[in-house]
Structure formats: C-alpha cells, structure tokens
Amino acid sequence: MRNCANRKSRKQPTLRQIKTFTAEYVPIEDRVRLNCVDAQGMTFAFWLTRRLSDNFVTVAADKIAEVATKKGLGGASAHSATLNQLEQQVVRQERAAAPSVAPVKLADDQHAWLCHTIDFVPTNDGFNLLFKSHQDIAEIYAMSLSIQDFRNVLDVLFRSYAKATWATAAFPNWLRENDKIDPSISLLN
C-alpha cells in the first residue's frame, strides 16, 4: 500500500529538448561534458563517462547501418563501409560549409549531473535520444536527430576522444578512415 502511494506522489519527469550542445573533454574528470542549450535558451550540462560513450558509439553505428540496410544501401560489408564513409564525408563537408556557431559556454558555478542511460527512440527520419540519470533528477533531456545529425554527433564524440587520447576502437572503421578530423570542432547545431 505504501509503495503505491509513493508512486502516485512521484512527479513525472519534465522533458527538456536539447537545441544544441558543445562537447568538452575535462581532463580532471576524465569525462566528456555536454554543455547544452534547450529550446527555451536555458543552459545545463551533464557528464558522459567513457564506458557509456563507448556503448553509445557502438549502438549508434549499428543504428546507422540498420537504417542504411533498410534503405537498400547495405549489402556486402566492404560496400556498406564505403558508402558509410562517403556519407560521413558529405556530412563533414556540409558541416564545415555551414555558418559558424559559438560554442555553448556555462557559468563557472553551473552544476553538471552524471548521465547513466541513453535511450534510442526511432522516429521517421532518425532518432530521439533520451539522456537520463539514476540520481534524483526531475528531468529527462531529449535530442531529436536525423541520420545526418546522428553522424555529426559521432564526429563530435570522435573529436572528444581525440582530445582525451582515448582509444577509438568503439568507432566504426568508416568513421575512423579519415583520422585527420580537426579536434577543435566539437559543436553541434
């Protein structure tokens, strides 16, 4: 009986939509912090551990490959890897040609929470990512991504790994083929 009452009194978490973020590797934490701006212009931040990031990259690459297969772009793994590599290069070129956006900056006293779970929710043209904490956080943070955006997020994480000098084994070869990525660019809009 008591548990039922507690469940009823629990407030449903608020969903905050991430509009843009800057990934920042923080050496003293040995983690990546996502400095975010939501749809209302409010800033917030959360941490990604290397373990969660590795798992995210593996699942994200699989999801991209799954979408490519559904579109009929799959086939032999060498052919699929080449197509993914070409698509990744197109995404990088488009991002490089886009207008520059200032990185998300946080106040010095801004608190960041630790992300424990990232859920992938398929949409018609990509995915919604839901970032959650097991701590007592009354909000869930969502990021809606097209497949192109999804590829950009992988590039941003790849740059963060380069800054951290973390091994990039979790990244698919088609993304690592061109390891000459500028690690200074870690903003996604």
Side-chain angles (χ1 to χ4, degrees), residues 23-47:
E24 177 182 12
Y25 173 70
V26 180
I28 197 163
E29 291 285 339
D30 195 30
R31 298 179 190 175
V32 173
R33 183 175 65 199
L34 294 188
N35 302 330
C36 305
V37 175
D38 69 8
Q40 288 73 41
M42 302 297 294
T43 61
F44 57 94
F46 56 92
W47 296 104

Short mmCIF file of all heavy atoms in Angstrom, two decimals, residues 23-47:
data_model
loop_
_atom_site.label_atom_id
_atom_site.label_comp_id
_atom_site.label_asym_id
_atom_site.label_seq_id
_atom_site.Cartn_x
_atom_site.Cartn_y
_atom_site.Cartn_z
N ALA A 23 30.50 19.56 -26.90
CA ALA A 23 31.15 18.50 -26.13
C ALA A 23 32.51 19.02 -25.67
O ALA A 23 33.26 19.59 -26.47
CB ALA A 23 31.32 17.25 -26.98
N GLU A 24 32.78 18.84 -24.40
CA GLU A 24 34.03 19.34 -23.84
C GLU A 24 34.66 18.24 -22.99
O GLU A 24 34.07 17.79 -22.01
CB GLU A 24 33.73 20.57 -22.98
CG GLU A 24 34.91 21.14 -22.28
CD GLU A 24 34.56 22.33 -21.40
OE1 GLU A 24 33.36 22.59 -21.14
OE2 GLU A 24 35.50 23.00 -20.96
N TYR A 25 35.86 17.82 -23.38
CA TYR A 25 36.59 16.86 -22.57
C TYR A 25 37.22 17.62 -21.40
O TYR A 25 37.89 18.63 -21.60
CB TYR A 25 37.67 16.14 -23.37
CG TYR A 25 38.54 15.27 -22.49
CD1 TYR A 25 38.02 14.11 -21.93
CD2 TYR A 25 39.85 15.64 -22.19
CE1 TYR A 25 38.80 13.33 -21.10
CE2 TYR A 25 40.63 14.85 -21.36
CZ TYR A 25 40.10 13.70 -20.81
OH TYR A 25 40.87 12.93 -19.97
N VAL A 26 36.98 17.14 -20.18
CA VAL A 26 37.52 17.78 -18.98
C VAL A 26 38.52 16.81 -18.35
O VAL A 26 38.13 15.80 -17.77
CB VAL A 26 36.39 18.14 -17.98
CG1 VAL A 26 36.96 18.80 -16.73
CG2 VAL A 26 35.35 19.03 -18.66
N PRO A 27 39.82 17.09 -18.51
CA PRO A 27 40.86 16.15 -18.06
C PRO A 27 40.78 15.78 -16.58
O PRO A 27 40.97 14.62 -16.23
CB PRO A 27 42.18 16.89 -18.36
CG PRO A 27 41.83 17.90 -19.39
CD PRO A 27 40.41 18.27 -19.15
N ILE A 28 40.48 16.74 -15.72
CA ILE A 28 40.46 16.44 -14.29
C ILE A 28 39.35 15.44 -13.94
O ILE A 28 39.46 14.68 -12.98
CB ILE A 28 40.34 17.73 -13.44
CG1 ILE A 28 40.74 17.45 -11.99
CG2 ILE A 28 38.96 18.33 -13.53
CD1 ILE A 28 41.05 18.69 -11.20
N GLU A 29 38.30 15.41 -14.72
CA GLU A 29 37.20 14.45 -14.53
C GLU A 29 37.41 13.19 -15.37
O GLU A 29 36.79 12.17 -15.11
CB GLU A 29 35.87 15.09 -14.93
CG GLU A 29 35.40 16.18 -14.02
CD GLU A 29 34.84 15.66 -12.71
OE1 GLU A 29 34.45 14.49 -12.62
OE2 GLU A 29 34.80 16.45 -11.76
N ASP A 30 38.23 13.30 -16.41
CA ASP A 30 38.41 12.24 -17.40
C ASP A 30 37.05 11.79 -17.95
O ASP A 30 36.76 10.61 -18.07
CB ASP A 30 39.19 11.04 -16.84
CG ASP A 30 39.68 10.13 -17.95
OD1 ASP A 30 39.94 10.62 -19.07
OD2 ASP A 30 39.79 8.90 -17.72
N ARG A 31 36.24 12.80 -18.27
CA ARG A 31 34.91 12.58 -18.82
C ARG A 31 34.63 13.66 -19.86
O ARG A 31 35.28 14.69 -19.89
CB ARG A 31 33.82 12.71 -17.75
CG ARG A 31 33.91 11.72 -16.64
CD ARG A 31 32.80 11.98 -15.66
NE ARG A 31 33.00 11.18 -14.46
CZ ARG A 31 32.28 11.26 -13.39
NH1 ARG A 31 31.28 12.11 -13.34
NH2 ARG A 31 32.52 10.51 -12.34
N VAL A 32 33.60 13.39 -20.65
CA VAL A 32 33.12 14.39 -21.61
C VAL A 32 31.89 15.05 -20.99
O VAL A 32 30.98 14.37 -20.51
CB VAL A 32 32.75 13.73 -22.96
CG1 VAL A 32 32.09 14.73 -23.89
CG2 VAL A 32 34.00 13.14 -23.60
N ARG A 33 31.89 16.37 -21.00
CA ARG A 33 30.74 17.11 -20.51
C ARG A 33 30.02 17.69 -21.72
O ARG A 33 30.64 18.27 -22.61
CB ARG A 33 31.17 18.24 -19.58
CG ARG A 33 29.97 19.00 -18.98
CD ARG A 33 30.38 20.03 -17.96
NE ARG A 33 31.15 21.07 -18.62
CZ ARG A 33 31.95 21.90 -17.97
NH1 ARG A 33 32.12 21.81 -16.68
NH2 ARG A 33 32.62 22.83 -18.65
N LEU A 34 28.71 17.49 -21.77
CA LEU A 34 27.90 18.10 -22.82
C LEU A 34 27.31 19.38 -22.24
O LEU A 34 26.50 19.34 -21.31
CB LEU A 34 26.79 17.16 -23.29
CG LEU A 34 27.23 15.89 -24.01
CD1 LEU A 34 26.01 15.17 -24.58
CD2 LEU A 34 28.24 16.16 -25.09
N ASN A 35 27.76 20.50 -22.77
CA ASN A 35 27.23 21.81 -22.39
C ASN A 35 26.08 22.09 -23.36
O ASN A 35 26.31 22.20 -24.56
CB ASN A 35 28.31 22.88 -22.51
CG ASN A 35 29.52 22.58 -21.66
OD1 ASN A 35 29.42 21.94 -20.62
ND2 ASN A 35 30.67 23.02 -22.11
N CYS A 36 24.88 22.20 -22.83
CA CYS A 36 23.68 22.23 -23.68
C CYS A 36 22.88 23.51 -23.52
O CYS A 36 22.94 24.17 -22.49
CB CYS A 36 22.77 21.05 -23.31
SG CYS A 36 23.55 19.44 -23.38
N VAL A 37 22.12 23.80 -24.57
CA VAL A 37 21.11 24.85 -24.55
C VAL A 37 19.80 24.19 -24.97
O VAL A 37 19.76 23.47 -25.96
CB VAL A 37 21.46 26.00 -25.54
CG1 VAL A 37 20.33 27.02 -25.61
CG2 VAL A 37 22.77 26.66 -25.15
N ASP A 38 18.75 24.46 -24.19
CA ASP A 38 17.46 23.87 -24.55
C ASP A 38 16.66 24.83 -25.44
O ASP A 38 17.13 25.92 -25.79
CB ASP A 38 16.68 23.44 -23.30
CG ASP A 38 16.18 24.60 -22.45
OD1 ASP A 38 16.28 25.78 -22.87
OD2 ASP A 38 15.68 24.33 -21.34
N ALA A 39 15.47 24.40 -25.81
CA ALA A 39 14.64 25.17 -26.74
C ALA A 39 14.25 26.54 -26.17
O ALA A 39 13.94 27.47 -26.92
CB ALA A 39 13.38 24.38 -27.10
N GLN A 40 14.29 26.70 -24.84
CA GLN A 40 13.96 27.97 -24.21
C GLN A 40 15.20 28.85 -23.98
O GLN A 40 15.11 29.92 -23.39
CB GLN A 40 13.26 27.74 -22.86
CG GLN A 40 11.83 27.22 -22.98
CD GLN A 40 11.78 25.77 -23.42
OE1 GLN A 40 12.57 24.94 -22.98
NE2 GLN A 40 10.84 25.46 -24.31
N GLY A 41 16.37 28.37 -24.39
CA GLY A 41 17.59 29.15 -24.23
C GLY A 41 18.30 28.95 -22.90
O GLY A 41 19.28 29.63 -22.61
N MET A 42 17.83 28.03 -22.08
CA MET A 42 18.45 27.75 -20.78
C MET A 42 19.64 26.82 -20.98
O MET A 42 19.59 25.92 -21.81
CB MET A 42 17.43 27.10 -19.83
CG MET A 42 16.19 27.94 -19.58
SD MET A 42 16.53 29.52 -18.78
CE MET A 42 17.10 28.97 -17.21
N THR A 43 20.70 27.04 -20.21
CA THR A 43 21.88 26.18 -20.30
C THR A 43 21.87 25.15 -19.18
O THR A 43 21.34 25.39 -18.10
CB THR A 43 23.19 27.01 -20.22
OG1 THR A 43 23.23 27.68 -18.97
CG2 THR A 43 23.30 27.98 -21.36
N PHE A 44 22.47 24.02 -19.47
CA PHE A 44 22.64 22.95 -18.49
C PHE A 44 23.74 22.05 -19.00
O PHE A 44 24.20 22.18 -20.15
CB PHE A 44 21.34 22.16 -18.26
CG PHE A 44 20.76 21.57 -19.51
CD1 PHE A 44 21.06 20.26 -19.88
CD2 PHE A 44 19.92 22.31 -20.33
CE1 PHE A 44 20.53 19.72 -21.04
CE2 PHE A 44 19.39 21.77 -21.49
CZ PHE A 44 19.70 20.47 -21.84
N ALA A 45 24.20 21.14 -18.16
CA ALA A 45 25.31 20.27 -18.56
C ALA A 45 25.16 18.91 -17.90
O ALA A 45 24.59 18.78 -16.82
CB ALA A 45 26.64 20.89 -18.16
N PHE A 46 25.69 17.90 -18.60
CA PHE A 46 25.78 16.58 -17.99
C PHE A 46 27.03 15.87 -18.48
O PHE A 46 27.61 16.22 -19.51
CB PHE A 46 24.52 15.74 -18.21
CG PHE A 46 24.12 15.54 -19.64
CD1 PHE A 46 24.56 14.44 -20.35
CD2 PHE A 46 23.26 16.42 -20.27
CE1 PHE A 46 24.17 14.24 -21.67
CE2 PHE A 46 22.85 16.23 -21.57
CZ PHE A 46 23.32 15.13 -22.27
N TRP A 47 27.46 14.91 -17.69
CA TRP A 47 28.70 14.17 -17.95
C TRP A 47 28.41 12.86 -18.65
O TRP A 47 27.41 12.19 -18.35
CB TRP A 47 29.41 13.84 -16.64
CG TRP A 47 29.88 15.01 -15.86
CD1 TRP A 47 29.30 15.54 -14.74
CD2 TRP A 47 31.03 15.81 -16.13
NE1 TRP A 47 30.03 16.61 -14.30
CE2 TRP A 47 31.10 16.79 -15.13
CE3 TRP A 47 32.01 15.78 -17.11
CZ2 TRP A 47 32.11 17.75 -15.09
CZ3 TRP A 47 33.02 16.72 -17.07
CH2 TRP A 47 33.06 17.70 -16.06
#
